[in-house]
Amino acid sequence: MFTLVRRRVRTAALALSTVAALAFGAAATAGATAAPAPAPAPSKKQGPTSVAYVEVNDHSMLNVGKYTLANGGGNVFDVAVIFAANINYNTDTKTAYLHFNENVQRVLDNAATQIRPLQAKGIKVVLSVLGNHQGAGFANFPSKQAASAFARQLSGTVTKYGLDGIDFDDEYAEYGKNGTGQPNSSSFVHLVTALRANMPDKIISLYNIGPAASRLSYGGVDISAKFDYAWNPYYGTWQVPRIALPKSKLSPAAVEIGRTAQNTAADLARRTVREGYGVYLTYNLDGTDHGADVSAFTRELYGSDATYTP
């Protein structure tokens, strides 16, 4: 039996660095300023979109750009996910707010050296947001106005730091803690609707887990089509996300690099291609040379080994 293997270090102990309110303006910040970077790698001729989550408490985002295809030189990974910001709860104002621990904040503040080089290679950089054991989550906003206010914090962050989108991961919220409400039917619908209106051309992705992932419709509004991608959250397994998106936007396969066996990663990649799915999800890319692990799935996805360049 497969079990959930996402072994994340939570960020409550790093509460010295918080974002209680975001000030947004037209002026670009230093972190959002473009820096000279390498020319984009040649585009892949075919194959699914490859996604890499990076635990920035321990590893560098730049690891995502170190893998190219031996045949043609294209990037192995198309989307890099910063893992992770948090949805926190202010017990005085009884409102949710966006929080960055010191490691996430460091990545954002140093976007010129941590994010722009990836984007210059053609890799999209997305910020993942998940619960932080405080009772606040995407599924329990008490009103449309509260959901819209959090959506503005998310879209403001994307603008401020020059990101390519937001990833929703509804884990570890501990709904009900600190007097917060239980999941309701309208919250996530209002949140995603507002976020899509705020950033029509950016990525919104769904880590398909938690109460929010099963509450995609309310009042005649179905938000499924507002997502660019949705993926299976259980590493080493095959599970098609239950969301009304075309196969081209779904990843039933999920692997943890360095921990999912290479033959399993290859089998999942082979099935992805055979069954016509358009996304392949990976997690926990660190700074080690994982050329063999990555090649196990790139051979099936793209017909090429992967090359690691330190």
Side-chain angles (χ1 to χ4, degrees):
M1 175 181 289
F2 292 107
T3 58
L4 182 63
V5 295
R6 202 169 213 184
R7 298 164 290 101
R8 303 167 175 177
V9 177
R10 291 299 138 230
T11 59
L14 297 172
L16 290 177
S17 177
T18 61
V19 180
L22 297 174
F24 308 124
T29 65
T33 302
S43 299
K44 294 173 185 170
K45 293 186 172 71
Q46 60 184 5
T49 297
S50 289
V51 180
Y53 277 81
V54 178
E55 290 260 17
V56 296
N57 285 341
D58 305 304
H59 309 300
S60 170
M61 290 301 296
L62 297 179
N63 295 332
V64 182
K66 294 179 179 179
Y67 292 88
T68 54
L69 297 176
N71 297 339
N75 296 312
V76 167
F77 299 105
D78 305 287
V79 180
V81 184
I82 301 169
F83 188 81
N86 297 102
I87 177 171
N88 276 14
Y89 189 69
N90 186 316
T91 55
D92 293 327
T93 62
K94 300 189 185 307
T95 56
Y97 66 94
L98 186 60
H99 163 82
F100 308 137
N101 75 26
E102 60 187 20
N103 298 305
V104 173
Q105 188 68 64
R106 186 179 301 115
V107 171
L108 297 176
D109 287 343
N110 292 281
T113 57
Q114 298 298 307
I115 296 172
R116 300 293 169 262
L118 297 178
Q119 292 172 324
K121 291 180 178 182
I123 299 169
K124 302 293 186 181
V125 180
V126 171
L127 178 66
S128 185
V129 185
L130 79 163
N132 201 17
H133 310 279
Q134 298 185 10
F138 312 127
N140 69 342
F141 288 104
S143 67
K144 182 177 181 179
Q145 291 73 23
S148 296
F150 191 72
R152 286 193 296 274
Q153 292 187 49
L154 294 174
S155 59
T157 294
V158 168
T159 299
K160 181 176 181 179
Y161 295 106
L163 302 173
D164 295 298
I166 293 291
D167 174 63
F168 287 110
D169 181 349
D170 191 16
E171 297 181 272
Y172 311 107
E174 296 188 27
Y175 289 103
K177 191 172 182 177
N178 288 320
T180 57
Q182 291 299 315
N184 62 60
S185 298
S186 63
S187 178
F188 197 45
V189 172
H190 290 323
L191 175 60
V192 174
T193 298
L195 183 61
R196 177 52 78 200
N198 292 350
M199 44 182 233
D201 301 320
K202 298 292 185 177
I203 292 170
I204 302 178
S205 58
L206 178 65
Y207 191 81
N208 191 48
I209 198 170
S214 62
R215 291 167 168 81
L216 304 180
S217 180
Y218 174 76
V221 177
D222 189 313
I223 58 171
S224 298
K226 299 184 186 299
F227 291 97
D228 293 278
Y229 305 112
W231 30 70
N232 170 18
Y234 298 100
Y235 302 110
T237 75
W238 176 273
Q239 183 180 103
V240 180
R242 294 185 177 181
I243 180 173
L245 285 174
K247 285 185 172 183
S248 61
K249 297 185 176 185
L250 297 177
S251 180
V255 302
E256 183 172 2
I257 294 175
R259 293 185 64 85
T260 299
Q262 291 178 19
N263 64 334
T264 300
D267 288 344
L268 291 170
R270 192 176 306 115
R271 187 172 179 182
T272 297
V273 173
R274 184 175 69 246
E275 298 191 18
Y277 287 94
V279 189
Y280 189 86
L281 177 70
T282 73
Y283 170 68
N284 207 24
L285 183 65
D286 61 28
T288 305
D289 180 355
H290 286 290
D293 294 308
V294 175
S295 293
F297 61 81
T298 59
R299 282 192 291 267
E300 304 299 331
L301 296 178
Y302 311 117
S304 173
D305 282 343
T307 299
Y308 173 81
T309 303

